[in-house]
Amino acid sequence: MIAGHLRNGRARSLAVNGRGRSQRGLRALPWILGPAALGGVLCLAPRVDASGIEVVRIPASYRTWEIGDSDSTMTVSQLHVPIVTSIGLGESADLVLSTAYGSSTVEPPSTDGTASASDLSMNGNGDVKGQLFVRLLDNRLLLQAGLGVPAGKVGLDTEQLTVVQALGNPLLGFRMKHYGEGLDLSGGAAFAVPLGSSVTAAVGAGFVTRGAYEFVAGEDDFKPGQETSVSGGVDILSSGARPALRLDASYRMFGADQLGDNDIFQEGNQLELQATTSFRPATARIDLTGRYVLKDDNEILDPPGTDVEKIVMDAGTAFFVQGEAGFLLGSAFLGVSGNLTSFDGGEDGDGTTSEAAYTGSTFGVGPVLEFGLGDSGRLRLGGQYLTGSIDERTLADETVVPSIDLSGFDVVVSLSWSPGAR
């Protein structure tokens, strides 16, 4: 959230497609101007020069999942390569530019030794996004304006739709779920107020208006509903500058999605709560984050069955925990990271709630290594073993769908470069 910037007294931001990692001068932020206005989690970067490039980040990753058992297994994989640049525009403004490349593959299941169908794939760039941040009133007021320029794939065919649907499973944590959209406009503001020497509070609000685009080849243009968010948060500082505890809440409201001139889908509003804490005992480093998402029911406004409706449905209650712990070894860091995702899509006894097919949990754990590359660069290497399951469920006709095993791995190679750092 944008107020996260303000509660630190300065606003330095890097949009990273929904995820942020601690790195020399960079750290994860919550969303006070929200995922709505900002399009994802933001990171702080220290001011290096009054103008010019401050930070370039390339947090590349490869994630793959096997879904099923030895008798029938489907594999879903994605290579994701974002590029994010933060440019200083004088003393009180920053421009953040970002895009990403994604290569995604679905290998259909084979059953009882029968050869599977051909692999399905989708490759290409995502849209190009720009965000302008302006700080006023001694860094207590932060204004944001954003523009998303269409550059990714639209007009998806049957094969590409199958890939997008597989990537959308909320348990799998793929970083690029959609490639292209329409022209997006966003804006917002946040204001921070100190509440004593060790506590700072902030409030903010933001919006995103999304343009129409051809989602499915041959169908009318799809126009996502406008998104609006209001947020608030509190930072409780330790003896150092880093917050010992950060608490954030955001409420997101959605307009109706349209296909052509018809309202087809009303996404439920959602409440997001997040808590983050950090410890720095001696040379150790410990970071913990928990996030809870409570979502109202989605509503299908037009008769169900369209390809668009099948993809946009994502209601459910979700809980996320991620943590990292390790030791500083000079300028390097060696540790272990882990995360837990739990998603409850609700009951599907009436046979109409497709989200229940994703009810379950996943877990990942693995090593992390960070080290400097000269005076300006930083490289982060990480890997996680992934495991989990989709829960057993009962359909309206009393048919029991057994639980489904999930297993896989995730590899991250993240490069950051601060040309003015010393």
Side-chain angles (χ1 to χ4, degrees):
M1 298 178 190
I2 249 188
H5 300 280
L6 293 174
R7 296 201 303 271
N8 287 279
R10 300 188 68 81
R12 302 288 178 260
S13 52
L14 283 177
V16 291
N17 294 306
R19 291 184 181 270
R21 294 282 187 180
S22 297
Q23 289 202 21
R24 183 183 178 189
L26 297 172
R27 68 180 186 76
L29 280 183
W31 329 276
I32 280 203
L33 218 179
L38 303 184
V41 176
L42 302 176
C43 291
L44 282 184
R47 169 65 75 182
V48 178
D49 297 313
S51 61
I53 294 177
E54 296 179 10
V55 177
V56 177
R57 290 195 69 212
I58 307 175
S61 65
Y62 179 78
R63 172 169 289 223
T64 185
W65 284 97
E66 290 188 354
I67 305 170
D69 52 33
S70 57
D71 294 329
S72 178
T73 302
M74 178 175 76
T75 302
V76 185
S77 306
Q78 183 180 81
L79 171 67
H80 180 231
V81 185
I83 301 176
V84 188
T85 303
S86 178
I87 303 172
L89 303 176
E91 290 293 339
S92 60
D94 297 282
L95 176 64
V96 179
L97 302 175
S98 64
T99 188
Y101 172 82
S103 177
S104 306
T105 303
V106 174
E107 181 181 335
S110 59
T111 305
D112 297 330
T114 303
S116 64
S118 300
D119 292 354
L120 309 176
S121 63
M122 186 171 178
N123 308 308
N125 288 339
D127 292 343
V128 177
K129 299 183 183 297
Q131 297 184 76
L132 176 66
F133 298 89
V134 178
R135 300 171 302 281
L136 304 170
L137 302 180
D138 194 25
N139 292 326
R140 294 302 177 188
L141 176 63
L142 182 60
L143 305 178
Q144 179 267 345
L147 176 66
V149 179
K153 280 188 182 297
V154 296
L156 306 184
D157 59 25
T158 301
E159 176 177 324
Q160 293 165 339
L161 284 170
T162 301
V163 174
V164 169
Q165 284 181 283
L167 297 176
N169 186 325
L171 290 171
L172 304 184
F174 286 108
R175 296 171 174 89
M176 189 171 182
K177 298 181 180 181
H178 294 280
Y179 281 68
E181 296 182 331
L183 181 70
D184 295 347
L185 302 174
S186 65
F191 186 72
V193 179
L195 302 177
S197 59
S198 61
V199 180
T200 302
V203 293
F207 73 91
V208 176
T209 297
R210 296 183 169 92
Y213 63 101
E214 186 186 29
F215 192 168
V216 181
E219 290 193 6
D220 292 335
D221 283 355
F222 172 64
K223 188 179 189 308
Q226 179 170 309
E227 181 179 344
T228 306
S229 68
V230 292
S231 307
V234 175
D235 276 358
I236 302 173
L237 301 178
S238 61
S239 56
R242 191 180 188 88
L245 179 64
R246 163 170 285 162
L247 303 173
D248 290 280
S250 178
Y251 188 70
R252 301 169 66 186
M253 297 157 283
F254 304 91
D257 298 339
Q258 295 181 326
L259 191 63
D261 296 326
N262 300 317
D263 292 348
I264 63 165
F265 184 78
Q266 177 63 64
E267 183 171 351
N269 296 338
Q270 70 182 51
L271 174 67
E272 303 180 16
L273 305 174
Q274 178 165 303
T276 301
T277 186
S278 302
F279 303 93
R280 297 294 183 267
T283 60
R285 190 175 92 186
I286 302 171
D287 297 307
L288 297 171
T289 298
R291 180 170 166 238
Y292 179 71
V293 179
L294 179 63
K295 194 173 185 66
D296 293 339
D297 290 340
N298 291 336
E299 181 181 0
I300 300 173
L301 305 178
D302 217 30
T306 68
D307 290 317
V308 171
E309 171 263 314
K310 291 177 183 177
I311 293 175
V312 298
M313 292 189 70
D314 60 356
T317 299
F319 182 64
F320 308 91
V321 178
Q322 63 181 26
E324 187 171 285
F327 293 91
L328 295 171
L329 305 172
S331 62
F333 171 78
L334 178 62
V336 61
S337 67
N339 61 76
L340 170 68
T341 298
S342 177
F343 182 83
D344 183 357
E347 299 295 332
D348 69 342
D350 59 1
T352 62
T353 309
S354 62
E355 295 88 344
Y358 302 136
T359 295
S361 59
T362 57
F363 175 75
V365 64
V368 176
L369 173 64
E370 291 182 18
F371 54 90
L373 298 175
D375 294 331
S376 303
R378 190 76 176 171
L379 182 65
R380 176 187 176 91
L381 305 174
Q384 286 193 350
Y385 167 73
L386 306 173
T387 186
S389 65
I390 298 174
D391 294 349
E392 177 184 292
R393 60 196 178 102
T394 303
L395 303 180
D397 61 2
E398 303 302 325
T399 300
V400 175
V401 180
S403 63
I404 301 174
D405 294 332
L406 305 172
S407 63
F409 65 88
D410 184 74
V411 177
V412 175
V413 179
S414 181
L415 175 65
S416 63
W417 177 59
S418 304
R422 293 291 182 268

